């Protein structure tokens, strides 16, 4: 890959990332059109149902698109969805060459967009910054190939792995900057999930709070198999922005369901697992069916333990605070049965470590 290709593809990726959290269930896509070494048009997909990145770039380029080269981080579509196929727009505009970072994993597109362009005499190249492109659209890729949301497990813990003291105090283990990062995460995902224990202990609202910009409030999912969370919990407040969904089992008392639905809460009864909790695989399938492409699991320990036990975690974000809490009764970040031997422990790969003010953020993907 030559330097120019890398530079233009980096620009396409940067453009695509501008719409992070806004394009679901579509992918993030950026496009750059270059002619005679100059960028003559660029654009990105802003929201589902609006024009794709290629169309924005073509409009900006106008007649200068004829004979030009397009750089795009995902294969152009070749089917009618909410918008017309981008391949036909590229062909009509006279684009001569297309560099795409990766093929679209969507079966309706996969390779067909490239084939249509080549059939029209347009040269195509695939693979420039493919790893970066895959990471950018990791939620879309999981959703489109597995039919379920991409699951991010996030927790804040002390250096010895505790998420609260032995008395239950947990505010605040992480610092203010790390907490803002959490709200930035909420702003980019489709749904956020906690369990009954967290709601009972902390009474959170699970909204997105970023006072300096317009925010997105993801679907709030509460795991409560037996209806232990009172209907007066703040997360069920009908005046909160966004929607709340209670994921439960047939064991939920009918009267409690009626109370919640009267407050505007959606109640989803799902099969129970072997421990009489909500079957997590069934939940993820149901969320996928309603076009939820990403799910931020914020815990607590019991819920995180269940997701790790079921091998349903795709990414881990661990904020580690410079604290030693200690105590046999202080809860850990990940509870549940755990593993019997280290060989069975999920090991993270592609690990990144960064300072978030005084806290350490460890990011990785379970193998």
């Amino acid at each position: 890959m030559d330097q120019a290709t890398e530079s233009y593809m980096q620009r396409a990726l940067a453009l695509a990332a501008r719409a992070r959290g806004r394009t679901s269930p579509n992918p993030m896509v950026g496009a750059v059109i270059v002619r005679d070494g100059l960028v003559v048009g660029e654009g990105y997909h802003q929201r589902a149902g609006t024009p794709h990145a290629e169309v924005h770039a073509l409009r900006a380029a106008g007649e200068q698109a004829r004979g030009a080269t397009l750089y795009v981080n995902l294969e152009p579509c070749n089917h009618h969805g909410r918008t017309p196929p981008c391949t036909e727009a590229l062909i009509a505009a006279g684009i001569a060459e297309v560099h795409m970072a990766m093929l679209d994993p969507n079966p309706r597109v996969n390779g067909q967009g490239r084939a249509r362009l080549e059939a029209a005499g347009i040269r195509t190249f695939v693979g420039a910054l493919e790893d970066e492109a895959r990471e950018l659209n990791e939620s879309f890729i999981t959703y489109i190939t597995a039919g379920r949301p991409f699951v991010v497990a996030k927790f804040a813990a002390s250096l010895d792995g505790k998420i609260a003291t032995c008395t239950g105090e947990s505010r605040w283990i992480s610092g203010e900057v790390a907490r803002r990062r959490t709200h930035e995460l909420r702003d980019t995902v489709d749904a956020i999930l906690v369990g009954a224990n967290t709601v009972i202990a902390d009474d959170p609202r699970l909204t997105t709070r970023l006072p300096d910009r317009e925010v997105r409030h993801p679907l709030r999912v509460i795991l409560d198999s037996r209806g232990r969370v009172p209907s007066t919990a703040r997360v069920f407040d009908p005046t909160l922005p966004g929607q709340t969904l209670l994921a439960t089992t047939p064991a939920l008392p009918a009267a409690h369901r009626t109370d919640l639905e009267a407050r505007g809460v959606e109640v989803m009864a799902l099969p129970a697992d072997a421990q009489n909790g909500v079957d997590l695989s069934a939940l993820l399938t149901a969320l996928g069916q309603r076009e939820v492409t990403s799910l931020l699991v914020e815990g607590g320990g019991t819920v995180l333990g269940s997701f790790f036990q079921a091998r349903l975690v795709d990414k881990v974000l661990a904020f580690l605070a410079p604290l030693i809490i200690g105590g046999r009764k202080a809860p850990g970040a990940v509870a549940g049965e755990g593993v019997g031997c280290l060989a069975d422990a999920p090991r993270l790969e592609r690990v990144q470590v960064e300072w978030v003010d005084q806290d350490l953020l460890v990011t990785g993907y379970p193998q």
Side-chain angles (χ1 to χ4, degrees), residues 79-159:
H79 65 282
H80 283 271
R82 294 170 175 166
T83 58
C86 290
T87 51
E88 299 310 310
L90 294 172
I91 293 167
I95 289 289
E97 186 171 294
V98 174
H99 292 256
M100 54 196 85
M102 59 176 287
L103 297 180
D104 190 332
N106 188 337
R108 299 178 68 186
V109 183
N110 197 335
Q112 298 178 45
R114 183 187 191 186
R116 176 69 183 102
L117 294 175
E118 291 186 336
I122 298 175
R123 299 182 299 276
T124 66
F125 303 87
V126 178
L129 301 186
E130 181 173 1
D131 290 344
E132 292 86 341
R134 288 187 172 278
E135 182 173 342
L136 177 71
N137 277 312
E138 57 195 7
S139 296
F140 170 75
I141 293 171
T142 296
Y143 164 71
I144 209 69
T145 58
R148 65 165 180 84
F150 181 82
V151 176
V152 180
K154 173 265 170 186
F155 58 86
S158 61
L159 286 180

Side-chain angles (χ1 to χ4, degrees), residues 63-360:
E63 285 301 315
Q64 294 184 86
R66 191 159 302 277
T69 299
L70 169 73
Y71 297 86
V72 63
N73 61 292
L74 189 69
E75 177 185 13
C77 65
N78 188 44
H79 65 282
H80 283 271
R82 294 170 175 166
T83 58
C86 290
T87 51
E88 299 310 310
L90 294 172
I91 293 167
I95 289 289
E97 186 171 294
V98 174
H99 292 256
M100 54 196 85
M102 59 176 287
L103 297 180
D104 190 332
N106 188 337
R108 299 178 68 186
V109 183
N110 197 335
Q112 298 178 45
R114 183 187 191 186
R116 176 69 183 102
L117 294 175
E118 291 186 336
I122 298 175
R123 299 182 299 276
T124 66
F125 303 87
V126 178
L129 301 186
E130 181 173 1
D131 290 344
E132 292 86 341
R134 288 187 172 278
E135 182 173 342
L136 177 71
N137 277 312
E138 57 195 7
S139 296
F140 170 75
I141 293 171
T142 296
Y143 164 71
I144 209 69
T145 58
R148 65 165 180 84
F150 181 82
V151 176
V152 180
K154 173 265 170 186
F155 58 86
S158 61
L159 286 180
D160 55 338
K162 306 296 186 179
I163 59 173
T165 67
C166 61
T167 63
E169 182 184 355
S170 61
R171 295 183 180 178
W172 296 102
I173 288 179
S174 58
E176 183 178 350
V177 178
R179 296 197 299 274
R180 178 183 171 89
R181 180 70 72 89
T182 295
H183 285 278
E184 290 172 348
L185 284 167
R186 291 181 183 180
D187 185 52
T188 65
V189 298
D190 290 344
I192 177 176
L193 180 148
V194 299
N197 291 338
T198 294
V199 179
I200 293 170
D202 300 336
D203 198 18
R205 287 175 294 176
L206 299 180
T207 53
T208 305
R209 296 184 294 280
L210 294 169
D212 55 341
R213 69 189 197 208
E214 180 184 353
V215 299
R216 181 170 183 253
H217 299 281
L219 173 69
R220 296 177 290 272
V221 181
I222 311 301
L223 280 184
D224 186 6
S225 60
R226 302 187 304 278
R228 294 190 295 122
V229 179
S231 59
T232 55
R234 291 199 300 175
V235 75
F236 297 142
D237 184 343
T239 66
L240 286 181
Q243 297 178 295
T244 302
L245 181 150
L246 183 80
T248 187
T249 69
L252 179 74
H256 192 52
R257 176 172 188 150
T258 299
D259 287 345
L260 291 173
E261 290 179 336
R263 296 176 69 83
V265 177
E266 179 182 354
V267 178
M268 178 185 289
L270 295 161
D273 61 18
Q275 289 74 42
N276 294 317
V278 175
D279 185 294
L280 297 181
S281 292
L283 171 61
L284 293 184
T285 297
L287 291 176
Q289 290 171 347
R290 57 190 296 162
E291 296 188 335
V292 172
T293 68
S294 53
L295 175 67
L296 179 63
V297 179
E298 291 201 17
T302 300
V303 167
L304 285 169
S306 297
F307 271 89
F308 278 108
Q309 189 75 30
R311 303 284 174 163
L312 292 173
V313 175
D314 299 302
K315 187 175 185 177
V316 175
L317 296 174
F319 290 91
L320 301 179
L323 301 171
I324 303 296
I325 293 177
R328 289 189 299 273
K329 295 183 179 180
V334 181
E337 298 179 7
V339 298
C341 60
L342 289 176
D344 293 332
R347 183 174 294 275
L348 302 186
E349 57 186 8
R350 290 184 281 155
V351 175
Q352 296 181 349
V353 180
E354 65 173 296
W355 285 107
V356 181
D357 198 19
Q358 77 268 32
D359 300 311
L360 202 63

